[in-house]
């Protein structure tokens, strides 16, 4: 197995379906970043993070918790302290160890203190999960590599090899929508008018607006099924599925 710095890589069987591997054990393979459209360098890699360890989390329900949360002034400060405590890895892969990091819009309040942004009580504002192991699929060569930092237990790597070998080769089920409801159009139009007024006043220079849709799906439909359907309908060089 080639080794670069503290990162070790091993070539696995080609044509591994990383989404199917995620769906087989989403707790062990919780984060998937994919290029679902091929666009040169932008659409070159998929990364499936494996064996998540400790997490630093900020949300509206419990505040900041996790490594270095007691000594930090906020999420970004705690992440800086955590990062400084770990020896960096190096390697030719697009990911050679570290963390999977999610940063929500509301985290801007830590950077610009004049903002008064309400944190969601159901979803994280930000989180960072230590991930020392990942599978990396390179679309040009169609090779999948198993990457691990130094010190990852052999049992973890053995599980991944076993999961890959036993992965079922069956078509993914479709998504059956029982009912669907869209947000009232007037709500979105009012938001557009408000955004234009705020831009005119000089309060903001850009607004990202969206509409919510609510759907009822057949029992047994998994997040991986929904994600697969979205990727087929709207392929993109940067897609992702996160189970938190």
């Amino acid at each position: 197995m080639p080794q670069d710095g503290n990162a070790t890589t091993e070539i696995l069987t080609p044509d591994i379906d990383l989404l199917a591997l995620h769906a087989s054990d989403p707790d062990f393979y919780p984060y998937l970043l994919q290029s679902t459209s091929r666009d040169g360098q932008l659409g070159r890699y998929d990364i499936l993070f494996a064996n998540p360890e400790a997490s630093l989390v900020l949300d509206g329900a419990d505040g900041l918790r996790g490594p270095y949360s007691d000594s930090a002034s906020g999420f970004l400060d705690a992440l800086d302290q955590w990062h400084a405590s770990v020896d960096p890895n190096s390697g030719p892969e697009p990911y050679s160890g570290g963390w999977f990091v999610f940063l929500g819009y509301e985290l801007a309040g830590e950077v610009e203190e004049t903002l008064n942004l309400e944190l969601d009580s159901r979803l994280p504002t930000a989180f960072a999960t230590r991930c020392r192991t990942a599978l990396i699929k390179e679309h040009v060569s169609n090779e999948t590599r198993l990457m691990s930092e130094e010190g990852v237990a052999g049992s973890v790597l053995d599980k991944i090899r076993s999961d890959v070998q036993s992965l079922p080769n069956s078509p993914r089920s479709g998504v059956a929508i029982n009912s669907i409801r869209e947000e009232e159009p007037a709500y979105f139009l009012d938001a557009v008018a408000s955004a234009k007024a705020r831009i005119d006043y000089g309060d903001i220079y850009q607004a990202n607006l969206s509409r919510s849709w609510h759907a009822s799906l057949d029992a047994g439909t998994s997040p991986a099924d929904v994600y697969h359907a979205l990727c087929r309908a709207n392929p993109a060089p940067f897609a992702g599925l996160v189970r938190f």
Side-chain angles (χ1 to χ4, degrees), residues 1-10 87-98 130-134 136 145-152 157:
M1 295 184 293
Q3 184 165 335
D4 299 276
N6 294 328
T8 300
T9 60
E10 170 187 346
D87 291 332
N89 297 299
S90 62
E93 307 293 352
Y95 182 79
S96 57
R130 188 78 167 94
C131 292
R132 297 188 294 155
T133 310
I136 302 169
R145 295 181 176 89
L146 172 58
M147 188 288 307
S148 61
E149 291 187 30
E150 185 179 23
V152 172
L157 304 182

Side-chain angles (χ1 to χ4, degrees), residues 98-233:
W99 293 259
F100 180 88
V101 179
F102 167 81
L103 305 177
Y105 282 116
E106 293 79 9
L107 191 65
E110 283 196 10
V111 180
E112 178 52 70
E113 296 181 356
T114 60
L115 296 175
N116 183 19
L117 303 176
E118 183 177 352
L119 304 186
D120 196 313
S121 61
R122 299 168 301 167
L123 299 175
T125 301
F127 72 85
T129 301
R130 188 78 167 94
C131 292
R132 297 188 294 155
T133 310
L135 292 97
I136 302 169
K137 186 170 185 176
E138 204 270 337
H139 292 292
V140 175
S141 65
N142 205 33
E143 286 185 343
T144 300
R145 295 181 176 89
L146 172 58
M147 188 288 307
S148 61
E149 291 187 30
E150 185 179 23
V152 172
S155 59
V156 171
L157 304 182
D158 287 342
K159 170 180 167 51
I160 295 173
R161 298 185 190 105
S162 175
D163 289 346
V164 168
Q165 292 299 322
S166 60
L167 196 63
N169 185 19
S170 59
R172 186 167 290 104
S173 60
V175 175
I177 300 177
N178 296 323
S179 64
I180 190 166
R181 174 174 57 85
E182 64 176 300
E183 187 177 75
E184 287 295 330
Y187 184 84
F188 180 78
L189 295 175
D190 288 345
V192 171
S194 176
K196 292 171 68 175
R198 289 180 177 273
I199 292 172
D200 188 45
Y201 296 153
D203 290 344
I204 60 174
Y205 65 89
Q206 177 180 317
N208 296 320
L209 304 176
S210 62
R211 297 181 65 198
S212 64
W213 294 69
H214 300 264
S216 172
L217 307 178
D218 270 357
T221 302
S222 72
D225 295 330
V226 177
Y227 171 79
H228 178 65
L230 291 172
C231 288
R232 291 185 62 186

Side-chain angles (χ1 to χ4, degrees), residues 33-105:
L33 301 179
Q34 279 194 305
S35 300
T36 57
S37 69
R38 305 294 176 258
D39 184 20
Q41 292 297 315
L42 289 180
R44 185 175 177 181
Y45 293 104
D46 298 346
I47 305 176
L48 178 63
F49 298 80
N51 191 37
E53 300 179 13
S55 288
L56 174 69
V57 182
L58 173 66
D59 61 32
D62 301 312
L64 183 66
R65 61 190 185 278
Y68 296 92
S69 57
D70 292 338
S71 60
S73 60
F75 178 88
L76 296 174
D77 183 32
L79 184 57
D80 278 344
Q81 294 184 44
W82 196 6
H83 179 268
S85 72
V86 176
D87 291 332
N89 297 299
S90 62
E93 307 293 352
Y95 182 79
S96 57
W99 293 259
F100 180 88
V101 179
F102 167 81
L103 305 177
Y105 282 116

